[in-house]
Amino acid sequence: MHQSKDREHLALERMLFFSDAVFAISITLLILEIKVPSVQQEFSELQLGHALLQMTPKFVGFLISFFLIGQTWIEHHRICSFLGGYNFGLLWRNLWLLLFVVFLPFATALLSEYYFSRVAICIYSVSFAGLGFAKVSFWHHAIKKHLLAKDSDANQSDRISRRVWATPITSLTVVIATAVGIPYAYCGFTLIPLIALLLDRTVARK
Amino acid sequence: MHQSKDREHLALERMLFFSDAVFAISITLLILEIKVPSVQQEFSELQLGHALLQMTPKFVGFLISFFLIGQTWIEHHRICSFLGGYNFGLLWRNLWLLLFVVFLPFATALLSEYYFSRVAICIYSVSFAGLGFAKVSFWHHAIKKHLLAKDSDANQSDRISRRVWATPITSLTVVIATAVGIPYAYCGFTLIPLIALLLDRTVARK
Amino acid sequence: MHQSKDREHLALERMLFFSDAVFAISITLLILEIKVPSVQQEFSELQLGHALLQMTPKFVGFLISFFLIGQTWIEHHRICSFLGGYNFGLLWRNLWLLLFVVFLPFATALLSEYYFSRVAICIYSVSFAGLGFAKVSFWHHAIKKHLLAKDSDANQSDRISRRVWATPITSLTVVIATAVGIPYAYCGFTLIPLIALLLDRTVARK
Amino acid sequence: MHQSKDREHLALERMLFFSDAVFAISITLLILEIKVPSVQQEFSELQLGHALLQMTPKFVGFLISFFLIGQTWIEHHRICSFLGGYNFGLLWRNLWLLLFVVFLPFATALLSEYYFSRVAICIYSVSFAGLGFAKVSFWHHAIKKHLLAKDSDANQSDRISRRVWATPITSLTVVIATAVGIPYAYCGFTLIPLIALLLDRTVARK
């Protein structure tokens, strides 16, 4: 019996490790999209500095995606620290979640290249919304199938149930904001941590 | 004695972890094959949208491979949750299995580029069949050498013994279907989860 | 209660593992920046040898970064072996640290391409200084929030508190050295392990 | 005391996991060197097949490196399953070992591109010899500093002490064989598993 528990634990750990690895590779691949600028053979320091400055949208895109993926990983980490078991439905939902994580480096590269394009912003925020919905579905499946650890704090898991909606809602807001104007869309991305914070406090107050 | 068991456990964990990492990298590298489209400097949103639409075969190839590798990982996960030990024969069989996992991003890129070519479909499905046969050989070695955990459910391990044949059989079917016509080949890929489901139910009924 | 401790342990492990994966990918991506030289179809061995010799700055940059990232990983490993718990502040500080780890392959590629440029050396050493400061902030947060394991050696943790300053101080020295002359900057990089050694001994003497 | 042991165990585990990740990334990056062939828009299946056949040296190089890195991983796995502790000397030796693992995808790409060149074969086999010597140094450090687990089989660890020499010796043989003629060099690579087998048996007979 004890051995069987150990193996259950190992199987759960593997799902987490596999996810960690996908998150880690995805977050690191972001840098591969930023190529070293090529300037003429005889160049001044000024020209290199200028070439790097012109790459600003790439660096900004890299930073936005790094922290959005990072925040998603932290949230995945928090959610999974409540898990006490798993089933194959959870593995599949996790795979869906990872699909969007894997897709993000492409969406980021597209956004960095065409940062003034509505199509690019939409693809980026839709794929981020997809990630958010996959996370919601992952968490609700865990609750519905009683996969949370028995000693987990009900109050805390309630807070997560709310907080988990922050990403999909904000991302959809960004999609709508894009219709109004591109600068509004970029403001939208900064809303994600703010909404998350608000949801956290609302629950904490009760 | 207890310490020695711990180390056996750690050694088994390492094999699983190494496999997880290879699966994770392979599944994430798929996105590297999709490059951001380059359109003229002054372009309309329509042109970017059009350029992205033309990349549909790449996205479809990405999705097919993502879920086939993902499903293989889930199956590997299921199989290995039965393991109670390992030997060097198992490590080698696992390496063979990973060879095909590593090869799949190339096969996918080839299929995405030449999706209307029999050569490309054959290479893709043959490498997927190879992955399937490696999985069969891995599982049968584990059974033959009594590497399953002592408390593992005989009924469940019987189900796996059947289910494990799903991928190689379907993949070979696809190779044959390609000879008849390319559309049949693509239908074949969707058969993999269906056959897996059927094999599962056949065993469950008994 | 015991189960809750297990999950706390697993959550800490995940943070370490995620970091390990990012370090590992970052250190391996360094090699991707070194492309196989392309020489004419009919070439002598001499020409290939010559083409490879001309790539010396790339190999040197690869070696410097490999060992600097490697040393940082070892230091991260040492620091984290003192941890007994974690909080979300620590996860965020770890994410900041990883941001610089992920950025280093780009900084290395830039340095290898423009190894005679002050701009490139500055970007490289500033990003290394950033990594160093993130490490300091990670460690001091762990101490301030009492996240060290209760049985950890106070003497040893004091040594780390000093040693952790080695990287940011040296990197800033390199930035200043660049203003004086480029060769001085390269000497600066070799100072990092030396200063680390000195700090270690100063503490050991007490 | 028990907690401290747990942390020691976790620290050792981290070294293994970090190594696993580097091995896994390195073995998977091999496929990135094989690019999808680009043929003319209107092409026959024959032309695609022909283009793929011309890539045979790339596939052969991929296979050789995959199994050499795989075999090295299995050996690393075997060696480390004897470890009961670690020190910072071991971490550094492990880092040296990983340096050569990280370098191998470049050496493979070079060999695949210039498979008829002595320079390329030498670089490949010298880097493989370096990997072998790093492994020897890793193992002997573990023995000298009494880092093996107390319950490990002395007979088995003796076998490893011999077997560990197989890679460096064969690789140096290949370097010498290259001086005689290139076909001899390729024969040399197949010697690695054979010599490993012979060393194993010699020890087993005693």
Side-chain angles (χ1 to χ4, degrees), chain B residues 17 29 40 47-48 51 54 67 108 129-130 149 165 194:
Chain B
F17 171 66
L29 287 186
Q40 290 166 314
Q47 278 173 311
L48 180 59
Q54 278 191 318
F67 281 107
T108 306
W165 283 102
L194 282 176

Side-chain angles (χ1 to χ4, degrees), chain C residues 95-160:
Chain C
L95 203 61
W96 269 101
L97 193 154
L98 294 178
L99 172 67
F100 293 104
V101 173
V102 166
F103 189 72
L104 274 174
F106 171 76
T108 307
L110 193 74
L111 188 70
S112 301
E113 193 71 34
Y114 305 107
Y115 56 94
F116 42 82
S117 150
R118 283 177 191 193
V119 174
I121 299 177
C122 271
I123 287 176
Y124 188 82
S125 45
V126 163
S127 61
F128 214 74
L131 176 54
F133 283 115
K135 213 164 52 190
V136 170
S137 142
F138 180 87
W139 175 247
H140 282 283
H141 182 82
I143 291 182
K144 225 173 71 187
K145 300 292 185 188
H146 310 292
L147 297 173
L148 302 197
K150 283 182 191 81
D151 60 339
S152 56
D153 185 353
N155 201 28
Q156 276 234 300
S157 83
D158 273 1
R159 275 170 77 178
I160 288 179

